[in-house]
Amino acid sequence: MDPKQLATERFTAVEAELRDLSRWMYEHPEVAYQERATSERLVAFLTAAGFDVAYPAHGLETAFSARAGSGGPEVVVCAEYDALPEVGHACGHNIIATAACGAGAALAPLADELGIRVRVLGTPAEEAYGGKVDLIEAGAFEGAAAAMMIHPSPMDLVDPAALGVVHLEVEYQGKESHAAFAPHLGVNALDAAVQAYVNVSTLRQSLLPTDRVHGVIVHGGGAPNVIPGFTSMAWYVRSAAADRLVELRRRVEACFEAAAVATGCTVTLKELGHPYVDLVSDPVLVELYAANSAALGRPMPRRGPDTPMAGSTDMGNVSHVVPSIHPMLDIHSLPAVNHQKEFAAHTITPDGDAAIRDGALAMAWTVVDLATADRWDELGAAL
Ligand SMILES: [Zn+2]
Ligand SMILES: [Zn+2]
């Protein structure tokens, strides 16, 4: 039988289970590096699908590495499964994880016949810290011929751009005092945080269209009658080009330092997790994925000048070491977009389920094409 047809049959046999798993994840969101119950469930699925699973893997408690196939080029399918604080699976990583498991289940029984190895790699902490960077550093991608994943979105796009990002923690230390009886003896750390926010807002006029700077006050004080002696903020600084990101970060940090000078506080800047870099889509993987997705009834547009700006992903870092793709799959959520509760609710509709199927099968069929047409040597032209 045709390997694509076989892969489709294997996927269809587990599709209902994957839909249930996606719903279970929606109902049990776990944030970055806390994905204990989630990783356990995914590992149980992959073990039952015939994978040889290492869990935990690569020194990360919630990472796993599921292998099938005994020789030949290795394809890594990345499963993300962390949720966001407060809004749950509002980035739809329940769809990413189940599509990755579905692609794996479709390919595992064919791996030896195709002369390939398939690995479903559980990659925690995409929304914070950058789990894939930890995995790269631990050697998880060494020797891989290709890496792939899909991501739900309000639009189809086979080759999205992603911005580089640094995650900053900013702390102001001042001095508490009675806000009415002796305000002059206090040093107001909330004033510093507010001034920092205003400074960055002022900087916005000189940002490029491919820059993004956004932050929140994490701790703003304890009581209105106590001058806050300590405040903390979390900021993301993003830009499309690596050198621009360095420059932008310098200017944003100057905003934080200026607020400390103005208020008499001291400031501490700390980088949280790993920086993410831009995403490089491999042209051969893009071509094959787009053709297979179209054959499944989901034509995938390519990026153009009017394509809206993307976010950031640690898959960008992977794409610089292994030929990669990260297509975005429309779940018809508009007006809801990623990181809204309404988007999370949309991941468990028939449109969300369709993204699991289309993503899993287009990835599996792409791997079948790589193997049957022996196109491995063509990969990596963009690196
Ligand atoms: Zn996200
Ligand atoms: Zn995401």
Side-chain angles (χ1 to χ4, degrees):
M1 199 191 281
D2 167 53
K4 287 188 185 176
Q5 204 180 326
L6 271 172
T8 306
E9 283 180 13
R10 299 288 184 171
F11 172 82
T12 305
V14 294
E15 185 172 10
E17 198 181 336
L18 291 170
R19 288 179 179 181
D20 288 347
L21 193 46
S22 172
R23 277 161 185 71
W24 182 88
M25 287 177 68
Y26 169 79
E27 282 156 14
H28 302 86
E30 295 177 300
V31 299
Y33 282 141
Q34 308 296 316
E35 315 95 333
R36 292 185 189 89
T38 308
S39 54
E40 230 170 79
R41 290 248 168 176
L42 297 170
V43 163
F45 174 88
L46 290 163
T47 306
F51 280 87
D52 182 10
V53 187
Y55 172 62
H58 303 289
L60 300 179
E61 191 191 344
T62 56
F64 59 83
S65 178
R67 295 169 187 272
S70 49
E74 186 175 47
V75 174
V76 176
V77 183
C78 291
E80 293 177 359
Y81 36 85
D82 58 325
L84 290 151
E86 297 178 16
V87 288
H89 270 295
C91 208
H93 293 190
N94 47 330
I95 291 177
I96 299 175
T98 48
C101 286
L107 286 167
L110 301 171
D112 284 336
E113 189 188 319
L114 292 169
I116 60 166
R117 290 172 297 150
V118 181
R119 183 145 50 100
V120 180
L121 184 64
T123 67
E126 190 280 332
E127 294 288 0
Y129 309 116
K132 291 189 198 64
V133 184
D134 288 329
L135 290 168
I136 291 169
E137 289 172 359
F141 289 91
E142 255 164 47
M148 55 182 64
M149 60 174 284
I150 58 99
H151 199 301
S153 155
M155 60 189 290
D156 283 321
L157 186 61
V158 69
D159 58 346
L163 303 173
V165 62
V166 286
H167 315 86
L168 300 175
E169 183 184 78
V170 184
E171 292 179 349
Y172 289 105
Q173 191 68 54
K175 187 169 175 42
E176 291 87 358
S177 185
H178 194 296
F181 167 66
H184 58 287
L185 296 179
V187 178
N188 194 324
L190 179 58
D191 282 345
V194 170
Q195 191 59 49
Y197 199 94
V198 171
N199 287 348
V200 173
S201 298
T202 308
L203 176 67
R204 285 186 202 286
Q205 189 179 42
S206 56
L207 296 189
L208 297 174
T210 47
D211 294 336
R212 294 283 186 277
V213 185
H214 41 98
V216 292
I217 297 176
V218 176
H219 180 75
N225 60 350
V226 178
I227 301 264
F230 172 82
T231 54
S232 67
M233 309 178 89
W235 286 87
Y236 285 10
V237 183
R238 312 194 201 220
S239 191
D243 51 351
R244 169 68 186 173
L245 185 56
V246 171
E247 161 70 7
L248 185 60
R249 177 184 180 163
R250 194 186 60 72
R251 295 186 67 176
V252 170
E253 288 184 348
C255 291
F256 301 149
E257 284 154 6
V261 173
T263 56
C265 292
T266 55
V267 62
T268 312
L269 299 177
K270 206 163 74 181
E271 187 168 346
L272 285 185
H274 300 284
Y276 296 6
V277 299
D278 61 303
L279 179 70
V280 183
S281 296
D282 184 83
V284 172
L285 293 175
V286 164
E287 172 207 320
L288 295 175
Y289 186 95
N292 282 311
S293 187
L296 285 160
R298 184 190 288 263
M300 295 292 286
R302 296 199 184 192
R303 196 168 79 231
D306 297 330
T307 307
M309 225 31 245
S312 306
T313 171
D314 57 4
M315 192 66 182
N317 301 58
V318 174
S319 77
H320 284 260
V321 294
V322 179
S324 300
I325 39 166
H326 181 286
M328 309 297 282
L329 269 63
D330 193 356
I331 60 165
H332 304 286
S333 60
L334 287 175
V337 298
N338 300 59
H339 293 199
Q340 295 182 322
K341 270 184 189 154
E342 295 81 1
F343 189 89
H346 224 88
T347 62
I348 54 165
T349 62
D351 286 327
D353 291 339
I356 299 172
R357 180 179 182 87
D358 293 346
L361 287 178
M363 287 194 284
W365 288 9
T366 295
V367 175
V368 169
D369 282 339
L370 283 169
T372 54
D374 192 15
R375 299 193 62 178
W376 304 105
D377 289 347
E378 292 174 52
L379 298 178
L383 291 181

